[in-house]
Amino acid sequence: MLTFLLTCFFCLSAGLCLWFLSRARTDRARQLQDFALSHRWRYSPRQPFSRELRFRQFRSLACAASASGRHWIDQDDSLSVFDCSTLTRNGVEETTVLLLHCPVALEGRLCISRRPWLNEDSFTPTYGDRLQRLTDQDLPRRLAGWCCFSDSRHRMRRWFLPDVILWLLNHPGLHVEWSDGWLLVCQPGYRIQADELGRAIEDVFLLSSHLQSSHHDNGEYDEQAQ
């Protein structure tokens, strides 16, 4: 009798957990779909990573548990927002990714965060050479100790200009990547809620404007930024 009651209790608890999870996913989908509709943007429950996106070689997407994103929102092919399951040092984490087209006169790949986050291994798919971690001597002094990887320690110095450094210091919890004119920003292990999404997009556009205006103004690495 006791075994029967425990089995019933376990089944009931599991059913309630599944119901709550399903309800949470449904609410999130509806809220994000409403956000996209209010801005006249496109919404898709799930969308595979395109060939072009995979070849941009973003580390956070290379470490994704699957080559697709959920609750995908697009604005004219220049801005995408989606949820991604990422393999990290702490296991699989659900993270909202913001991807923005940000053309500047700079070629290369770079990713930076205050703390190590991603967990690449020999099974992580890559295209071309892996990024190399930069030393404190390669980084501006104000970013010493940050976890930064790049395909060029010298060419990508031009990325670290005063307004960009200040933006990073004001957003120490974010992970930022750059790949040949595309900018990726996320907060590791956090899914952005619909009512927070507008502000998050504004923050990423601000970083993009710093990158674009800085490189148009002087186009060189500013030693004073160190």
Side-chain angles (χ1 to χ4, degrees):
M1 184 64 179
L2 180 60
T3 301
F4 174 75
L5 291 175
L6 289 174
T7 302
C8 291
F9 177 76
F10 174 79
C11 292
L12 180 60
S13 299
L16 287 173
C17 289
L18 290 174
W19 182 82
F20 279 119
L21 289 173
S22 176
R23 180 63 181 272
R25 286 195 293 264
T26 301
D27 289 345
R28 178 169 177 77
R30 185 179 65 252
Q31 292 166 3
L32 292 174
Q33 191 170 11
D34 290 344
F35 176 90
L37 183 62
S38 68
H39 289 78
R40 298 184 178 180
W41 296 349
R42 296 187 298 271
Y43 172 86
S44 175
R46 181 179 290 272
Q47 183 169 313
F49 297 158
S50 66
R51 182 175 181 273
E52 291 78 10
L53 180 56
R54 293 197 302 271
F55 273 86
R56 288 180 195 137
Q57 306 176 61
F58 289 112
R59 290 182 77 229
S60 55
L61 300 187
C63 293
S66 65
S68 63
R70 299 176 304 283
H71 306 304
W72 197 297
I73 297 173
D74 275 324
Q75 178 200 24
D76 301 329
D77 299 323
S78 61
L79 170 69
S80 295
V81 181
F82 54 90
D83 290 347
C84 182
S85 299
T86 307
L87 303 175
T88 75
R89 292 168 177 261
N90 298 319
V92 178
E93 295 183 346
E94 300 294 323
T95 302
T96 300
V97 171
L98 293 93
L99 183 64
L100 177 65
H101 188 217
C102 174
V104 299
L106 183 64
E107 295 181 355
R109 296 165 53 213
L110 176 145
C111 68
I112 185 168
S113 56
R114 183 67 183 88
R115 302 294 181 192
W117 174 50
L118 300 172
N119 187 27
E120 288 185 321
D121 56 30
S122 59
F123 296 102
T124 301
T126 58
Y127 303 93
D129 297 332
R130 289 182 179 270
L131 301 184
Q132 302 299 314
R133 181 161 184 174
L134 302 187
T135 67
D136 286 349
Q137 288 69 38
D138 299 320
L139 292 169
R141 282 198 296 268
R142 299 178 71 185
L143 297 178
W146 283 55
C147 183
C148 182
F149 292 80
S150 176
D151 61 350
S152 171
R153 56 179 294 190
H154 300 296
R155 183 176 65 248
M156 293 306 292
R157 279 189 171 188
R158 296 173 55 198
W159 200 86
F160 293 106
L161 294 171
D163 287 339
V164 174
I165 294 172
L166 183 60
W167 190 97
L168 291 171
L169 292 172
N170 288 333
H171 300 82
L174 299 186
H175 172 86
V176 177
E177 298 194 44
W178 165 266
S179 179
D180 290 335
W182 285 87
L183 184 64
L184 182 151
V185 180
C186 64
Q187 181 175 340
Y190 184 75
R191 293 194 305 169
I192 301 174
Q193 302 304 310
D195 59 354
E196 303 170 321
L197 194 51
R199 176 59 184 274
I201 291 173
E202 289 179 2
D203 285 343
V204 176
F205 269 104
L206 180 60
L207 175 58
S208 174
S209 68
H210 289 331
L211 284 165
Q212 292 177 311
S213 62
S214 295
H215 285 284
H216 281 304
D217 288 343
N218 54 36
E220 296 295 338
Y221 176 73
D222 186 352
E223 294 294 342
Q224 296 303 315
Q226 295 189 29

